[in-house]
Amino acid sequence: MAAPCGEIVTVQLGPFSNCLGAHWWNLQDAEISRQSHKRQQESEICSDVTYRQGVTLRGRQTYTPRLIAVDLKGGLSSLREEGFLYEDRDTTCATPAWTGNLSTHREEPQETSPLQAELRREKGEEPTAGDVLGADGTGPVGGGPVLGAPGKRFLSERSVSVWSDFLQTNLHPKSLCVVSRYSHGGGTEGLEAYGQGEALLQEAAYGEELEDRLHFFTEECDYLQGFHLVCDLHNGFSGGGAKMAELLHDEYPGRGIFSFGTYPVPPTDRDLHRDMYQLLNCIMGIVHLSNHSSLFCPLTLSSCLGRRPGPPVALPHLLYDAESQYHSSAVLALTLDTLSAPYRTAPSRLPMVQLADALSFSGRKVMMAASSLPFPLGSSSLADAFQPYMGVPPWTCLSGCGGPHRGGESGSFSQSVVLRGASQALQISPLPPGTRPPSVLHTCSSASDTLQCYLQTVAPGAVSLASTLPAPCTLPPTFPQFFSPYVTRSGFTAETPLSEPSAVDSIPALAALQTGRALGPTLQALHKEVRGVDVRRWPSFLTAGVEEGQLEETLEELQRLAHCYTPEGDSD
C-alpha cells in the first residue's frame, strides 16, 4: 500500500547514530504492535512511511525498515551483515556437488547477547549456537522477564555492548554495510577524522555500493518524500555524512533532507588529541551537512559541543546514565520519534519540504531539538498541565545550546512542536458552569488549540506549528527503565513517589524542532574555540584529507551561520 504522505529512506552512519537508530526502530515496532491491536485512528503515525513490504525466496511476507546503516568492523556483534530474515536454510545447509576431498574450516559463532536470545525465544525460534543460555537451558544468562508479558522489561543492561545487542527489528539484506577497514572502538584503527569519512564515500568500493542501495530503496517508492540522514558528528562519520548529504542533494533534487548529527556525552577519561579531533569534526560536519540539507539538527545530551562541556543535561523524571550510550541514545531516539511525527502521520499534516520551508527561512537551516519526557500530565486537563509553564517552557534543549530552556521564550524564530498522549479525556478543562477560566488556555476546545495558544503565549513573535496525537509513545521491551519513582506505568507524573514503582509501558511526550537566538552564541563559541588554537599542532587531522584552506573556509561559513541567529541577522 502506498504511504499516504510519502515514503522516507533513512541512512544511519556511525556507532552512536546506529544506537539511536536501534531505539528509533524499536519504538516504531512498538507503535506498529499497538496499532495492530486496535483500529488505526485518523492522524496517527503511518508506518508505511518508513517501512517497506517484501517477500522472501520462500514466499514469506516481510515488513522491514527502509534503511541503510553503516558501521565499522566489530559493530554488529552476533548480527550478520546480510541479516537473518531472508536466509534460505535449504541453500545454506545443502550438500555440495563436489565429490573430491573437502576441508572444512568452521569459525566459532559469536555469543548472542541475552537481549537477542530472549527476543528469539519470545518469537518461538530455536536457540542458536551463539545463544548464552542459563543453567536450566531455557533462557539467557541472568534470567530476566518474559518479553511479551505486560509490564515486563529487559533489565540486563550490562549485557549491551553494541547497538545490535538490543535491536529487535528484522532488517533487509541491503540495509547493513560494514566498513571493514576501520574497527569499532576507535583508537589507531578507528575512523577518527572528518577527511577519512569524506574519502571513504568517494571510493568506488563504498560510494557506489551505497548509491546502489539507495536506488534499491528509492526506486520502489510511489512518492519519495525525502530522507532522514543520521550520522555521528564527533568522529570521521561526520565527513561521510557530509558526502552522503551532497549525494542526496544532487541525485534527488526537490526532496526533503533532514540531517541529524548525533554527539554522545564525552567520557570522563578524555584526552587533548581526541577532544580536538571531535571539535574539528563537529564544526566541519555542522557547516557541510547544513549546506546540503533542508535542515540540520545536532542531537546530544551534552551541555555544549565544545571541548569543555559542563554537566550533562538534567531531565526531570529521567534518571539516566549520561555516559551510557544505551541510555543517552534512547532519550534522543524518543525525541526524534516525536518531533518527526508531523510528516509521518496519515494523512500527512506537513510534508518534509513544507516543514523545512516553514522553519528554515532567512538562511537558518541549523535547528535545535528540545523535549519534555515524559510530559508532566496528571489527572487534570491539558490546560492545567501547561499552567505552571507560562513563564518558562517545560522542554529541555538537546542540541548542546547550554541552559535547559534555551530557545523557548522570546528567543525563538520558528518552531514545530508535537505533543503525544493528549487523550480526549484530557483535552477539555472540566470547569463548573459560571466559573471564570483561570487562563486563556482553559477556553480552548481541543488539544491542538490548547497547544497552539500556549505557543503563541510563550513565543508571541515566532512562527509556531502545533501538532497533537491522542496516543502516547509506546515503549518497547528494550527501552531502558530509567524513570523516577514519580512516573506511573502509563507515563503520568504523580505528586508523591509511588510506593511500588512498576515498569513504564508508555509516556506522553512533547518535542520541538526550533530555530532560536541561542544558536548564535553556540556557533560563535565553536568558532572562537578553534580560532584560539593552532590547528597545525594536529597535522594528522589535515593529512587525513582536510586542507588548511578548506578548514579556513569552513570557519568563515560557520561565522555566517552564527550571524543568522543574531538580532543583526534578523534585521538583515
Side-chain angles (χ1 to χ4, degrees):
M1 182 179 71
C5 57
E7 298 90 349
I8 295 174
V9 176
T10 301
V11 181
Q12 298 166 192
L13 303 172
F16 188 59
S17 291
N18 283 320
C19 280
L20 185 153
H23 283 299
W24 153 268
W25 296 111
N26 290 348
L27 284 164
Q28 294 193 65
D29 262 11
E31 177 66 17
I32 293 172
S33 177
R34 182 192 69 83
Q35 292 186 10
S36 67
H37 291 87
K38 56 184 285 297
R39 187 167 61 88
Q40 182 172 336
Q41 298 178 358
E42 185 179 358
S43 298
E44 285 199 359
I45 300 294
C46 177
S47 57
D48 286 345
V49 174
T50 51
Y51 279 69
R52 61 179 297 277
Q53 296 182 10
V55 182
T56 67
L57 295 176
R58 290 183 156 190
R60 177 186 173 189
Q61 297 287 331
T62 63
Y63 198 53
T64 54
R66 202 174 287 108
L67 165 70
I68 300 172
V70 183
D71 210 328
L72 306 178
K73 182 175 62 177
L76 299 186
S77 186
S78 59
L79 181 62
R80 296 195 316 223
E81 186 172 353
E82 67 273 16
F84 297 97
L85 188 59
Y86 283 73
E87 181 184 54
D88 188 344
R89 296 187 182 273
D90 291 342
T91 301
T92 56
C93 301
T95 303
W98 173 257
T99 57
N101 294 330
L102 293 176
S103 177
T104 303
H105 301 271
R106 185 180 300 275
E107 182 180 347
E108 286 296 322
Q110 195 163 2
E111 287 186 353
T112 304
S113 73
L115 294 179
Q116 286 293 336
E118 182 75 7
L119 286 167
R120 292 182 186 175
R121 188 162 67 95
E122 177 67 16
K123 294 176 182 178
E125 300 176 3
E126 293 294 327
T128 66
D131 287 353
V132 183
L133 300 182
D136 59 356
T138 59
V141 169
V146 178
L147 178 63
K152 299 296 184 180
R153 300 286 167 184
F154 285 126
L155 302 178
S156 54
E157 296 178 9
R158 64 185 181 276
S159 65
V160 175
S161 58
V162 293
W163 59 274
S164 57
D165 290 338
F166 59 91
L167 176 70
Q168 66 183 63
T169 308
N170 285 317
L171 302 179
H172 190 274
K174 289 188 176 292
S175 284
L176 295 177
C177 181
V178 176
V179 180
S180 57
R181 183 187 310 171
Y182 300 102
S183 297
H184 182 76
T188 57
E189 297 181 354
L191 191 66
E192 287 191 297
Y194 177 94
Q196 291 175 309
E198 191 178 40
L200 189 68
L201 264 69
Q202 290 175 326
E203 296 181 12
Y206 293 105
E208 293 180 4
E209 175 65 23
L210 291 177
E211 195 169 346
D212 289 342
R213 297 185 185 212
L214 274 174
H215 284 244
F216 172 81
F217 286 112
T218 57
E219 288 175 0
E220 65 182 9
C221 297
D222 293 320
Y223 171 67
L224 178 63
Q225 181 181 180
F227 300 88
H228 270 170
L229 175 56
V230 188
C231 71
D232 289 2
L233 201 58
H234 61 293
N235 55 33
F237 278 107
S238 63
K243 293 304 294 184
M244 177 60 70
E246 183 179 352
L247 171 66
L248 297 176
H249 181 269
D250 295 340
E251 291 284 327
Y252 303 94
R255 309 298 183 185
I257 304 172
F258 284 14
S259 296
F260 300 92
T262 63
Y263 193 96
V265 176
T268 53
D269 56 336
R270 297 153 56 206
D271 61 78
L272 182 63
H273 172 82
R274 178 180 296 177
D275 287 352
M276 193 63 197
Y277 266 52
Q278 291 186 355
L279 174 63
L280 294 173
N281 291 332
C282 179
I283 288 175
M284 297 289 292
I286 289 174
V287 170
H288 294 286
L289 279 164
S290 61
N291 279 344
H292 296 103
S293 302
S294 306
L295 56 83
F296 168 76
C297 179
L299 292 174
T300 183
L301 296 183
S302 182
S303 55
C304 78
L305 300 174
R307 291 182 296 166
R308 298 176 180 84
V313 171
L315 299 169
H317 303 303
L318 290 189
L319 309 176
Y320 73 97
D321 180 359
E323 293 193 17
S324 167
Q325 295 193 2
Y326 174 62
H327 278 200
S328 58
S329 61
V331 177
L332 299 177
L334 191 52
T335 300
L336 178 59
D337 189 54
T338 300
L339 64 84
S340 62
Y343 51 88
R344 294 192 296 120
T345 53
S348 172
R349 301 184 180 189
L350 202 61
M352 295 177 72
V353 172
Q354 294 183 20
L355 178 60
D357 290 343
L359 297 180
S360 62
F361 53 85
S362 301
R364 303 185 185 107
K365 293 170 69 174
V366 179
M367 305 278 159
M368 298 183 299
S371 65
S372 175
L373 306 172
F375 178 70
L377 275 176
S379 57
S380 55
S381 68
L382 183 59
D384 290 332
F386 276 120
Q387 190 66 25
Y389 303 100
M390 298 303 290
V392 179
W395 54 70
T396 301
C397 178
L398 303 182
S399 292
C401 292
H405 306 288
R406 298 291 293 274
E409 311 89 78
S410 59
S412 294
F413 298 112
S414 60
Q415 56 187 349
S416 169
V417 182
V418 182
L419 175 63
R420 300 173 69 175
S423 62
Q424 187 68 33
L426 298 173
Q427 293 185 15
I428 307 300
S429 181
L431 296 175
T435 304
R436 182 177 180 179
S439 71
V440 66
L441 301 181
H442 292 79
T443 64
C444 299
S445 59
S446 67
S448 180
D449 290 343
T450 303
L451 178 58
Q452 187 69 51
C453 181
Y454 173 76
L455 296 178
Q456 291 173 349
T457 302
V458 297
V463 175
S464 297
L465 308 174
S467 303
T468 59
L469 282 80
C473 293
T474 304
L475 303 183
T478 52
F479 200 84
Q481 288 292 308
F482 45 29
F483 300 95
S484 78
Y486 290 86
V487 181
T488 68
R489 180 173 174 177
S490 300
F492 295 108
T493 51
E495 295 182 358
T496 57
L498 304 179
S499 57
E500 296 182 1
S502 60
V504 180
D505 293 333
S506 62
I507 63 169
L510 183 143
L513 193 62
Q514 305 170 315
T515 60
R517 290 194 172 91
L519 280 163
T522 298
L523 299 177
Q524 285 282 15
L526 293 174
H527 177 271
K528 182 179 180 181
E529 193 166 355
V530 176
R531 285 296 190 194
V533 298
D534 186 358
V535 181
R536 290 173 295 182
R537 292 172 54 192
W538 288 269
S540 55
F541 183 86
L542 299 176
T543 56
V546 176
E547 297 179 357
E548 198 168 347
Q550 183 184 359
L551 180 58
E552 184 67 27
E553 292 177 3
T554 300
L555 290 173
E556 292 176 1
E557 182 63 27
L558 182 66
Q559 196 166 28
R560 284 194 293 269
L561 271 175
H563 180 74
C564 294
Y565 299 90
T566 61
E568 294 81 6
D570 192 26
S571 61
D572 292 345

